[in-house]
């Protein structure tokens, strides 16, 4: 009788080789000269995340219905003094908050945007001074277009430009913008703030950014982080095409969830990364790193379609993680710059580990799905399969799954 586990593995491999779920093959594997599986995202190690972001789709027509009964309305206006918003606010065209001016927004306020009917300007809020939007759990502050349609591009979004103050969003909802929050040389603090159905949820350039207990969903890209220092804690980044695109910056992620992002949950180039206690579930790829360094610890990479972790020319400490049942490959690395220990790396579809380089990789003290013993064969692609590759050094191995990586 053929073991059930063997049949399941054969089925998974066949499904990968002939996958049409995304309209393309996930891996290129040749029988005679097997090459390292290549992700379209990082096949060229000199690429940066901006070159791999989803191409913008054609903008769909939007039917606006501004209605009436607004507490206050603005039409291409510049605010030069402090103001407090409550009730319903209508912005036609662009509303600019000048330097030295602050807009305070009370709980339950709804800010709606429509384009300028006399020109081509989308509805937008341009913050050069400061914005403090502080709602509550039962009275959120909402930023949206004046329409029932919350699809992307219904308005331009909130742009924080050169602000020298801390801009605060607490218990807010931002919907249907081209870029929900666009920060350029500024500082943003988000708490319990959710962004959905935007082209890009939040875009940070040369900025300081922290987000806690909120997230981005239903967008082309969740977070684009360029030359910025960012901190994501207990956020949810789900149902996007790409979760996080990081370039030339630093990022700390703690206790966050990345699920159902169809391409990559987290993509970083030339950056410093620390990931602790995060979950990467059912994405295209969990994490893809190019030329980056840092720590990935106490996190879970489960049922991702291509890779759990993909490392190109990177230096990462990988410890105490669960890397389990990813349909393609658990870990792929092309250099000896990283090391992995204390992990549960098992039951991944094609290989638990794929050494794509010529150097030995140290993966000492991990659990590979079964106790080490005479004749025990690991599901590893390295020098034993292709003499041009380096070895994956596993001994001594853990005798049982680590309790922190179950």
């Amino acid at each position: 009788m053929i073991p059930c586990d063997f049949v399941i593995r054969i089925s998974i491999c066949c499904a990968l080789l002939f996958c049409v779920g995304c309209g393309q093959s996930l891996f290129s594997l040749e029988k005679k000269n097997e090459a390292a599986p290549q992700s379209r995202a990082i096949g060229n190690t000199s690429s940066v995340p901006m070159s791999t972001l989803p191409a913008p789709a054609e903008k769909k027509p939007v039917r606006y219905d501004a209605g009436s009964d607004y507490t206050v309305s603005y039409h291409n206006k510049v605010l030069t003094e402090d103001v407090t918003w409550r009730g319903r606010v209508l912005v036609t065209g662009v509303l600019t908050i000048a330097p030295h001016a602050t807009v305070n927004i009370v709980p339950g306020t709804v800010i709606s945007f429509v384009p300028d009917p006399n020109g081509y300007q989308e509805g937008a809020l341009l913050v050069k001074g400061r914005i403090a939007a502080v709602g509550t759990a039962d009275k959120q502050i909402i930023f949206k277009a004046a329409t029932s349609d919350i699809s992307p591009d219904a308005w331009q979004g909130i742009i924080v430009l050169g602000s020298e103050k801390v801009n605060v969003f607490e218990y807010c909802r931002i919907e249907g913008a081209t870029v929900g929050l666009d920060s350029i040389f500024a500082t943003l603090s988000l708490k319990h703030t959710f962004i959905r159905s935007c082209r890009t949820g939040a875009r940070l350039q040369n900025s300081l950014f922290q987000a806690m207990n909120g997230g981005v969903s239903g967008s082309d890209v969740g977070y684009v982080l360029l030359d910025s220092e960012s901190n994501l804690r207990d956020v949810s980044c789900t149902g996007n095409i790409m979760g996080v695109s990081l370039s030339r910056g630093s990022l700390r992620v703690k206790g966050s969830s990345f699920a159902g992002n169809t391409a990559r949950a987290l993509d970083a180039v030339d950056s410093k990364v620390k990931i602790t206690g995060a979950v990467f579930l059912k994405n295209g790829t969990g994490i893809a790193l190019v030329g980056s360094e840092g720590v990935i610890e106490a996190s879970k990479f489960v049922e991702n379609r291509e890779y759990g972790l993909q490392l190109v020319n990177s230096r990462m400490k990988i410890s105490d993680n669960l890397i389990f049942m990813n349909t393609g490959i658990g870990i792929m690395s092309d250099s000896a710059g990283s090391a992995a220990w204390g992990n549960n790396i098992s039951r991944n579809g094609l290989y638990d580990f794929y050494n794509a380089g010529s150097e030995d990789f140290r993966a000492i003290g991990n659990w590979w799905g079964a106790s080490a013993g005479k004749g025990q064969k690991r599901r590893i692609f390295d020098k034993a399969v292709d003499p041009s590759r380096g070895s994956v050094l596993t001994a001594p191995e853990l005798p049982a799954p680590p309790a922190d990586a179950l």
Side-chain angles (χ1 to χ4, degrees):
M1 180 179 293
I2 300 174
C4 179
D5 184 59
F6 178 78
V7 174
I8 291 173
R9 288 180 180 176
I10 291 295
S11 299
I12 290 173
C13 292
C14 291
L16 279 166
L17 292 173
F18 299 100
C19 175
V20 295
C22 292
Q24 63 184 24
S25 173
L26 298 181
F27 301 105
S28 176
L29 298 177
E30 298 180 4
K31 292 182 179 179
K32 293 184 179 180
N33 185 19
E34 189 165 4
Q38 293 294 315
S39 164
R40 292 180 183 271
I42 60 175
N44 178 1
T45 59
S46 64
S47 65
V48 297
M50 287 302 295
S51 66
T52 65
L53 296 178
E58 183 179 352
K59 181 177 177 180
K60 297 180 180 179
V62 178
R63 297 183 64 180
Y64 297 94
D65 182 9
S68 58
D69 193 26
Y70 286 94
T71 307
V72 62
S73 61
Y74 303 96
H75 187 172
N76 290 335
K77 188 174 178 62
V78 178
L79 296 178
T80 57
E81 297 180 351
D82 295 353
V83 64
T84 297
W85 287 349
R86 56 175 44 85
R88 299 179 66 223
V89 177
L90 178 66
V91 175
T92 301
V94 178
L95 175 64
T96 300
I97 302 173
H100 311 300
T102 296
V103 169
N104 295 289
I105 308 177
V106 304
T109 302
V110 177
I111 302 96
S112 300
F113 295 83
V114 295
D116 178 6
N118 301 318
Y120 299 98
Q121 181 59 58
E122 301 286 345
L125 180 62
L126 177 58
V127 182
K128 295 182 179 180
R130 180 173 183 261
I131 183 169
V134 181
T136 62
D138 58 342
K139 292 185 177 180
Q140 293 183 331
I141 295 169
I142 300 173
F143 298 85
K144 68 180 191 66
T147 175
S148 58
D149 179 9
I150 62 167
S151 61
D153 297 320
W155 59 296
Q156 185 172 344
I158 302 168
I159 306 162
V160 185
L161 178 62
S163 172
E164 298 180 353
K165 303 175 182 179
V166 179
N167 296 273
V168 177
F169 296 83
E170 295 184 11
Y171 288 101
C172 294
R173 214 167 71 223
I174 302 169
E175 301 175 341
T178 301
V179 180
L181 279 171
D182 195 352
S183 175
I184 306 152
F185 288 96
T187 301
L188 263 64
S189 175
L190 277 62
K191 294 180 181 179
H192 301 280
T193 291
F194 290 89
I195 305 172
R196 63 173 181 151
S197 299
C198 296
R199 290 286 174 220
T200 298
R203 182 185 185 276
L204 288 299
Q205 178 182 339
N206 296 98
S207 294
L208 298 177
F209 176 63
Q210 66 171 1
M212 298 175 61
N213 301 104
V216 181
S217 64
S219 300
D220 288 0
V221 188
Y223 302 92
V224 175
L225 310 173
L226 307 172
D227 301 294
S228 295
E229 183 178 331
S230 306
N231 187 350
L232 303 178
R233 182 164 184 168
D234 298 322
V235 303
S236 173
C237 189
T238 62
N240 307 290
I241 297 177
M242 181 183 292
V244 177
S245 178
L246 169 68
S247 181
R248 302 179 306 275
S250 66
L251 172 64
R252 295 173 65 93
V253 177
K254 187 172 183 179
S256 298
S257 174
F258 301 82
N261 300 288
T262 56
R264 297 172 302 284
L266 195 156
D267 172 315
V269 172
D270 298 334
S271 297
K272 294 183 178 180
V273 179
K274 183 172 184 180
I275 313 290
T276 304
V279 176
F280 297 81
L281 174 67
K282 295 184 178 180
N283 305 284
T285 287
I287 294 180
L289 304 176
V290 176
S292 297
E293 61 181 84
V295 175
I296 301 173
E297 61 186 6
S299 296
K300 296 181 179 181
F301 299 81
V302 180
E303 296 185 53
N304 297 288
R305 191 177 66 253
E306 296 190 20
Y307 303 91
L309 290 170
Q310 189 176 25
L311 311 175
V312 173
N313 191 30
S314 294
R315 298 174 62 246
M316 300 299 299
K317 294 185 285 185
I318 304 165
S319 64
D320 305 312
N321 302 287
L322 175 63
I323 304 167
F324 182 74
M325 289 189 70
N326 297 285
T327 309
I329 290 172
I331 301 176
M332 187 282 275
S333 179
D334 73 341
S335 70
S338 301
W341 66 91
N343 305 284
N344 180 342
I345 312 172
S346 62
R347 295 188 66 182
N348 297 286
L350 289 179
Y351 295 100
D352 289 324
F353 198 106
Y354 195 107
N355 191 343
S358 59
E359 302 175 299
D360 292 348
F361 188 101
R362 293 184 174 270
I364 297 170
N366 297 286
W367 170 254
W368 300 93
S371 299
K374 187 176 181 180
Q376 178 65 51
K377 191 173 183 180
R378 297 293 175 225
R379 299 180 62 252
I380 293 173
F381 187 94
D382 66 353
K383 190 173 185 177
V385 180
D386 182 345
S388 69
R389 307 298 172 86
S391 295
V392 177
L393 307 177
T394 65
E397 300 177 8
L398 293 180
D404 294 337
L406 292 176

